[in-house]
Amino acid sequence: MRADIKELMDKLGVGYILSPYATCPWSAYDPAKGITAQAEVRMNNEGDEVEAEIQFIYDNPEAGKPPVEQISWIFCKPVITAKWSPTVFRVRGKDETIELYDWETKACNFFRACVQDIKMGNVPDIDDIAAKELGGDERFRDARRGGGSKAPKIRPQALLGMKNGRGF
């Protein structure tokens, strides 16, 4: 995915171009679950890096779990003149750039879907959104369309209408 900065911001759900040092935050709280979902897109001081992050903050974390969990992190920068692209995408600490087909587009779609839930005041269901936007367990599902594993065997006699070598 190669996009200008405005298009990248739209794909991340921001809607406008961030200036250096700027952030665009969203937050939602679910009192029944005791979870605060926070999402943020931020530009660095030079204006040449963009980070998008989703975190869950737990009121009462389970034993052995930290109170803050980083759900997703996307790092974007210009890859060619005036064209931006994500270069890193992690979900719950796992690098998704290796196994996920068209991960740049899917990373933005995943982040934007989570932001839409947060904007509506809901804590996003990460597993459900990941299944929809990242393809669930089907890695490379968009890349592998079609049939069998090897080419069919073609006999020249069949192409010429010859049977059993008898000729015309």
Side-chain angles (χ1 to χ4, degrees):
M1 177 186 95
R2 307 275 190 265
D4 61 28
I5 188 67
K6 172 67 172 132
E7 187 180 352
L8 177 67
M9 291 296 138
D10 289 344
K11 288 178 183 273
L12 293 173
V14 176
Y16 59 92
I17 299 173
L18 292 175
S19 59
Y21 289 112
T23 66
C24 182
W26 301 275
S27 182
Y29 179 66
D30 184 343
K33 294 179 182 176
I35 300 173
T36 301
Q38 295 181 337
E40 181 179 66
V41 177
R42 56 189 171 263
M43 172 106 35
N44 73 340
N45 62 336
E46 303 277 326
D48 61 356
E49 294 176 355
V50 171
E51 290 181 276
E53 182 176 28
I54 300 169
Q55 294 181 350
F56 282 1
I57 301 171
Y58 300 96
D59 290 346
N60 298 310
E62 296 177 16
K65 289 185 78 173
V68 178
E69 178 185 13
Q70 186 181 53
I71 300 298
S72 176
W73 183 67
I74 303 170
F75 182 76
C76 307
K77 64 182 184 177
V79 289
I80 52 177
T81 306
K83 295 293 182 180
W84 291 67
S85 182
T87 58
V88 178
F89 176 46
R90 293 190 184 121
V91 176
R92 290 194 165 125
K94 182 179 180 219
D95 184 2
E96 293 289 344
T97 62
I98 298 169
E99 296 179 2
L100 193 61
Y101 173 74
D102 192 22
W103 67 269
E104 296 98 337
T105 302
K106 290 180 179 181
C108 292
N109 292 344
F110 173 80
F111 186 84
R112 191 175 59 249
C114 290
V115 165
Q116 290 303 320
D117 277 359
I118 293 172
K119 282 181 178 179
M120 294 176 14
N122 302 320
V123 172
D125 182 345
I126 299 302
D127 295 329
D128 183 48
I129 293 173
K132 289 177 187 172
E133 300 297 337
L134 305 179
D137 293 331
E138 299 174 352
R139 303 296 189 198
F140 291 103
R141 72 176 182 168
D142 296 336
R144 295 186 183 169
R145 296 181 187 244
S149 61
K150 64 180 191 175
K153 192 173 195 177
I154 299 174
R155 295 174 302 189
Q157 296 88 356
L159 293 175
L160 298 174
M162 300 180 344
K163 294 186 179 185
N164 297 329
R166 290 188 206 145
F168 298 97

